[in-house]
Amino acid sequence: RVELRQRLSHGFTLLASYTWSHALDVSTDSNGGGAPQNPYNWRADYGNANWDVRHRFVGSFTYALPFLLNSSHALVKQTLGGWQTNGIVTLQSGFPFNVVSNGDPANTGRSNERPNVSGPISTNCGSGNLSNCIQGSFTPATYAYGNLGRNVLVGPGLYNVDFSAFKNFSIAERATLQFRSEFFNLLNTPAFSNPNATVGTGSFGTITSTKSDNRQIQFALKLLF
């Protein structure tokens, strides 16, 4: 983890951090249900944890705008001066997902059996690629377990910007009215969920949902006393 911190200077603060991590497991949340594909070979399920995010960057700032604070016009100073802006930028890589076969081709009564794979496999999932975004040759392993590893593919990443602006209005000696405007997912960037990963279904390799909300805007008044 690398962190950059700018302490308050001229009304500006900054905190930025980058984290590289790698989480592996076999049983804590294996296949999303806590059970390995083959109860007699747990080693075959050792792989990326469901929450394994390799890269994550978070940057945040606050800035008290200096403009018009010293304006000689009282109305201008009161309405346009003294604003504070705040922002958070989040960038991260996607979560792993598990490719499984439809039904129970191994005839073992389990629903998390992985297929056989021949040749390289990859993903290109996200904006502009919401269908057929898993590339590779997958075939169910009849009366056997497939050779594909667990959680070997990674879904879409996340890019999000939150922004807010505050302004305090003095209304009495010990009372302040604060106006707040807040913009969540300011750029309205969709954060797509992992694609359907069940081989043998019509929706294989198709993304049908998002993992966070679209842009949300809210305004509020807050009385401080």
Side-chain angles (χ1 to χ4, degrees):
R1 176 186 171 95
V2 179
E3 184 176 289
L4 172 66
R5 185 187 298 269
Q6 169 64 56
R7 299 185 184 278
L8 182 63
S9 175
H10 302 288
F12 179 76
T13 65
L14 173 69
L15 177 62
S17 64
Y18 166 76
T19 303
W20 181 91
S21 64
H22 190 191
L24 297 162
D25 69 3
V26 67
S27 62
T28 303
D29 195 21
S30 183
N31 299 305
Q37 171 186 245
N38 182 355
Y40 300 103
N41 184 14
W42 284 49
R43 185 179 182 84
D45 272 47
Y46 183 69
N48 300 320
N50 287 358
W51 53 86
D52 175 40
V53 175
R54 300 292 177 87
H55 306 279
R56 178 174 171 85
F57 170 84
V58 179
S60 61
F61 74 90
T62 64
Y63 184 40
L65 301 179
F67 316 118
L68 302 176
L69 281 175
N70 300 317
S71 174
S72 58
H73 196 293
L75 181 61
V76 172
K77 179 179 179 179
Q78 182 73 353
T79 57
L80 301 181
W83 284 86
Q84 175 182 317
T85 58
N86 315 273
I88 301 176
V89 177
T90 303
L91 306 172
Q92 73 176 42
S93 54
F95 290 96
F97 63 89
N98 199 38
V99 176
V100 297
S101 297
N102 188 31
D104 178 22
N107 197 32
T108 60
R110 293 178 174 269
S111 59
N112 58 357
E113 300 161 11
R114 296 187 293 276
N116 281 322
V117 60
S118 58
I121 59 176
S122 62
T123 60
N124 183 21
C125 301
S127 182
N129 296 286
L130 303 183
S131 61
N132 299 317
C133 68
I134 301 176
Q135 292 80 43
S137 178
F138 303 92
T139 55
T142 307
Y143 297 111
Y145 297 114
N147 61 9
L148 180 64
R150 169 178 160 262
N151 277 358
V152 297
L153 295 177
V154 178
L158 171 68
Y159 170 52
N160 185 73
V161 177
D162 296 328
F163 179 81
S164 62
F166 300 166
K167 170 71 170 114
N168 292 329
F169 299 89
S170 297
I171 57 176
E173 182 179 354
R174 296 185 178 181
T176 300
L177 185 66
Q178 184 182 79
F179 171 75
R180 305 166 62 95
S181 57
E182 298 170 308
F183 304 82
F184 303 97
N185 192 4
L186 174 67
L187 303 180
N188 203 31
T189 306
F192 294 106
S193 302
N194 285 343
N196 179 287
T198 303
V199 176
T201 62
S203 58
F204 177 69
T206 299
I207 297 175
T208 58
S209 64
T210 57
K211 53 192 172 189
S212 64
D213 295 326
N214 294 331
R215 181 193 295 124
Q216 295 184 342
I217 302 173
Q218 66 181 29
F219 302 99
L221 289 175
K222 184 177 182 179
L223 181 63
L224 307 174
F225 59 91

